[in-house]
Amino acid sequence: MAENVTPRVRVPSKASAGEEITIKTLISHPMESGQRKDKEGNIIPRSIIHRFVTTFNGETVIDVTMEPAISTNPYFEFVAKVPESGTFEFTWFDDDGSEYTESKDVTVG
Amino acid sequence: MMKMTLTSSGLILAALGGAAFAQEEPELVINGEIPITTRAEAPASVEGALPEVISGWEFRSPETQSLEEDDFENPGMIFVDDARAQFDTAMGPDDQACSSCHDTPEDLAGARAVYPKWDEEHGEVQTLEMQVNECLTERMSTDAWEYTSNDMTNMMALLASVSRGMPVNVAIDGPAQSTWEQGKDIYYTRYGQLELACANCHEDNYGNMLRADHLSQGQINGFPAYRLKNAQLNSVHDRFKGCIRDTRAETFEPGSPEFIALELYVASRGNGLSVEGPSVRN
Amino acid sequence: MYLSRRQTMALGTAALVFGPRIAWATATDDAIAEFTGGADVAEATGLTLTAPEIAENGNTVPIEVDAPGAESIIVLASGNPNPDVGTFAFGPLAASQMASTRIRLAGTQDVVAVAKMADGTFQRASQEVKVTIGGCGG
C-alpha cells in the first residue's frame, strides 16, 4: 500500500429528494506513471490507483477507469442524485491490491 | 426616453468599470470567507525598492489561481489534514502530543505571521520550524524532525492554514536587526556561474517572462507552496535552495544560518500581505 | 555502432517527424477503436470537452467532459507516450453525465474525448492544449 494515502470527500449532508448534488473527491497518491527513471537510470515501476467507484445505497453513480495520465493526488468532481436517505460509498483501487474507502451519509428530508 | 438613456449608459459605465477592475486586480477569497491581501503598500523593510508588494498568486494563470480559492480543490490541504492528525498524536516517552499543550491548531493562529522572530531564551532568530523542533526535543523529549521533512512541511502547512488572512508582520528591529541585515546582504549578493542575486529576478524583473513563465516578486507569504510541477508541498528553504542552485552555485543548506537570515529578510518584504499557505503555484 | 553527428541528427529528425507521430496517432486511433468497437464516430453535438487553451504546467491540467445522457466517455491525450487517460462510466444515480479531473500532458497536443451516447452512437470532441515550459529548472 502506498504510504499516507488520505481520501477526502465533499458531499452535502442534507438534500431534498431527487436533488442533484455535486461531489468532489481528492486522494493523496503519487500516481507513479511507470515512465519516470530514478537517479540510477532505472525505470520506477508503475504504481497508480487504476479505478475509482462511487455508489449510493449500492447503485452506481460513476465508475472511472484511471490510467497513468491522471495527475498525482487524483481529483474528481461529478454530480449525483439522491432519491432517498442513504450512504455514498467511495472506493479507490490501487495497483498493489489495496482499496481505500470512504463513506458519507446523506439525509433526505 | 431621455431618462432611460441616461440610466442605461450609467449601467454600462458601471459594468465596464467593474470588468476593468476585475481584470487588473483579481481578488482571492478562500472558501468564500477568508479574504486574502495579495497586493499591499510596500512596507518599510523594502526601503523603496518596490512600489508595492504582490503575492505570487497574482502571477499565476486563472486555472492555477482557482485551485487556491477552495480548500477542497487545493491539494496542499491534504497535507494539512495529515498534520492535523499528527498534532493529536502522542510522541516521545511521556506520550505528549502537540495538543497536550496547544489544545487545537487554531490556538496557534497568528504564529505563522510573526516568524521568523527573535528568541530571547536562545539568543537567536528562530524560524517556525526551529520552534516546532524545540517543542519536540525540549517539551516532548523526542527526536527533532528533519528541517524539510514531510512531517515538518506538513506541520508548517497546518500552522500557515490557521493564520490565513492575517497580515505577515515580522519584526526587523531590535535584536533581530543584525540577522535581517545579513539576510539583506544575501538577497543582493550575486551567486553562481550565472551571477544572479535574488533581486535580479524578483526585484528588477518581476512581471517579466522567464521563458514561458512569469517571474514573481519571490514573496514567501504563501509557503509552504503546493507546486503543480512536483505535485507536493515545498518549504521555503527548499525553494531558496532551488533558486540558488539554478544560478549554478553551491547552495546553503535548509536550516542554515544563511537561510534563516534570508527567510527573515524575505518575509519582511512581504509584511502587509496575508499569510496564504498552503498556496498553489506552478 | 558509431554515428556521426549528422547521422545522429538525421535519425533524430526521422524519429521526431515520423516515429512518434505515427505511433501516437495509431495509439489514439486504436484506443478509440477499442472503445467504439470500430463503430463510426461523429463530430460532437452533445459532448463538450473543456480544457484550458494554455496550461501553466503539464503536470496538472484541469479538464471537464459533459455529454447529457451518455453511457460513458473516454478521454485520450494524443501526444502522450501512452494516450490513455481514463474512462468515465455513468451509473443510474449520476444526475448528469459530467465529470472533471486533472491530467498530465507531456507537451502541447490535442486532448480527445469520445462519448458513447444513450442510443449507442459515438461522438468525438477535441481541444488543443498548449503546455508552457516553466522558468527555472527548480
Side-chain angles (χ1 to χ4, degrees):
Chain A
M1 163 167 161
E3 280 178 30
N4 296 324
V5 175
T6 316
R8 301 177 87 216
V9 172
R10 180 185 282 173
V11 180
S13 58
K14 291 193 176 73
S16 52
E19 189 183 337
E20 298 186 0
I21 57 175
T22 298
I23 295 176
K24 296 180 179 187
T25 71
L26 187 60
I27 187 165
S28 58
H29 196 282
M31 295 293 282
E32 190 58 60
S33 67
Q35 301 275 350
R36 298 197 310 158
K37 289 178 180 171
D38 63 17
K39 279 177 186 158
E40 282 78 43
N42 304 310
I43 297 264
I44 305 171
R46 168 183 144 151
S47 174
I48 68 166
I49 293 172
H50 60 265
R51 188 178 172 211
F52 166 65
V53 178
T54 301
T55 61
F56 183 75
N57 290 350
E59 277 214 86
T60 303
V61 177
I62 197 167
D63 188 336
V64 187
T65 309
M66 299 160 65
E67 304 289 345
I70 299 288
S71 301
T72 301
N73 304 326
Y75 169 88
F76 291 108
E77 180 180 336
F78 49 96
V79 201
K81 58 187 167 198
V82 283
E84 72 269 320
S85 293
T87 307
F88 279 104
E89 298 279 354
F90 305 89
T91 314
W92 293 260
F93 298 85
D94 195 307
D95 273 353
D96 67 9
S98 311
E99 291 179 16
Y100 317 109
T101 58
E102 182 79 353
S103 63
K104 290 280 180 189
D105 294 333
V106 179
T107 308
V108 168
Chain B
M1 186 64 207
M2 193 60 197
K3 193 181 172 196
M4 256 186 81
T5 313
L6 277 173
T7 312
S8 50
S9 57
L11 278 174
I12 288 166
L13 279 175
L16 282 174
F21 183 74
Q23 210 168 20
E24 274 169 24
E25 285 186 32
E27 284 181 36
L28 173 57
V29 179
I30 296 173
N31 301 330
E33 60 182 27
I34 310 172
I36 300 290
T37 302
T38 56
R39 195 177 275 256
E41 198 182 322
S45 51
V46 169
E47 298 174 318
L50 297 169
E52 58 184 343
V53 290
I54 308 168
S55 162
W57 183 82
E58 291 208 11
F59 296 87
R60 303 275 51 93
S61 74
E63 289 83 13
T64 309
Q65 287 181 334
S66 76
L67 294 180
E68 208 180 301
E69 288 168 0
D70 178 345
D71 277 356
F72 205 87
E73 311 228 344
N74 180 346
M77 293 306 289
I78 293 172
F79 307 99
V80 168
D81 282 354
D82 287 351
R84 225 169 242 286
Q86 181 71 53
F87 196 88
D88 290 327
T89 304
M91 289 177 278
D94 309 323
D95 283 338
Q96 293 285 301
C98 305
S99 55
S100 308
C101 288
H102 299 294
D103 203 17
T104 68
E106 282 70 19
D107 283 3
L108 294 164
R112 176 67 276 174
V114 297
Y115 274 85
K117 74 170 189 183
W118 179 257
D119 182 284
E120 199 58 53
E121 189 188 339
H122 294 83
E124 62 182 2
V125 169
Q126 286 200 335
T127 61
L128 195 53
E129 283 92 338
M130 292 160 80
Q131 183 58 60
V132 166
N133 269 340
E134 190 183 308
C135 286
L136 287 168
T137 56
E138 294 180 22
R139 313 237 180 262
M140 301 157 84
S141 311
T142 186
D143 295 333
W145 286 333
E146 207 182 305
Y147 201 86
T148 58
S149 61
N150 289 342
D151 280 340
M152 180 63 89
T153 306
N154 294 354
M155 190 57 71
M156 290 301 112
L158 172 62
L159 295 178
S161 72
V162 297
S163 289
R164 284 182 299 178
M166 297 180 181
V168 175
N169 184 24
V170 297
I172 64 171
D173 51 1
Q177 194 182 345
S178 64
T179 307
W180 182 81
E181 298 280 359
Q182 186 196 355
K184 184 183 167 188
D185 278 350
I186 293 171
Y187 192 86
Y188 286 102
T189 300
R190 290 175 179 268
Y191 289 100
Q193 292 177 322
L194 299 181
E195 296 187 21
L196 288 169
C198 306
N200 293 132
C201 286
H202 297 294
E203 185 172 289
D204 303 340
N205 281 297
Y206 70 88
N208 291 336
M209 304 296 277
L210 186 63
R211 295 206 282 182
D213 202 2
H214 281 101
L215 271 170
S216 75
Q217 284 188 349
Q219 297 288 355
I220 57 173
N221 59 306
F223 276 80
Y226 183 89
R227 295 189 66 191
L228 303 182
K229 175 196 166 78
N230 58 13
Q232 65 182 33
L233 285 179
N234 295 258
S235 70
V236 173
H237 288 202
D238 267 342
R239 178 67 269 195
F240 288 165
K241 188 176 165 184
C243 274
I244 295 191
R245 183 199 59 219
D246 289 345
T247 71
R248 301 187 189 164
E250 290 287 336
T251 81
F252 304 110
E253 283 305 308
S256 63
E258 290 85 358
F259 274 173
I260 293 164
L262 184 61
E263 181 180 341
L264 174 63
Y265 178 70
V266 176
S268 80
R269 289 173 69 100
N271 273 351
L273 294 173
S274 295
V275 174
E276 200 189 302
S279 63
V280 183
R281 300 286 187 260
N282 184 19
Chain C
M1 183 172 82
Y2 173 81
L3 291 173
S4 73
R5 182 168 167 271
R6 186 164 294 180
Q7 282 170 320
T8 311
M9 281 178 67
L11 278 173
T13 310
L16 204 68
V17 173
F18 304 111
R21 203 165 275 190
I22 287 171
W24 290 343
T26 306
T28 303
D29 291 346
D30 285 353
I32 294 173
E34 195 181 326
F35 180 68
T36 61
D40 288 343
V41 180
E43 282 307 307
T45 50
L47 162 66
T48 312
L49 166 66
T50 311
E53 215 173 294
I54 299 172
E56 195 157 40
N57 194 300
N59 234 347
T60 314
V61 182
I63 61 143
E64 182 179 307
V65 287
D66 187 0
E71 224 171 81
S72 58
I73 305 173
I74 189 170
V75 178
L76 301 157
S78 63
N80 278 4
N82 171 358
D84 295 323
V85 174
T87 308
F88 301 92
F90 300 99
L93 289 185
S96 67
Q97 287 64 44
M98 70 76 69
S100 59
T101 187
R102 299 166 188 164
I103 69 172
R104 293 166 170 159
L105 297 178
T108 296
Q109 58 179 281
D110 287 334
V111 176
V112 179
V114 178
K116 183 178 190 185
M117 307 307 284
D119 62 2
T121 62
F122 294 91
Q123 296 188 5
R124 169 194 173 118
S126 73
Q127 149 117 39
E128 189 191 39
V129 178
K130 292 190 176 74
V131 175
T132 61
I133 298 167
C136 294

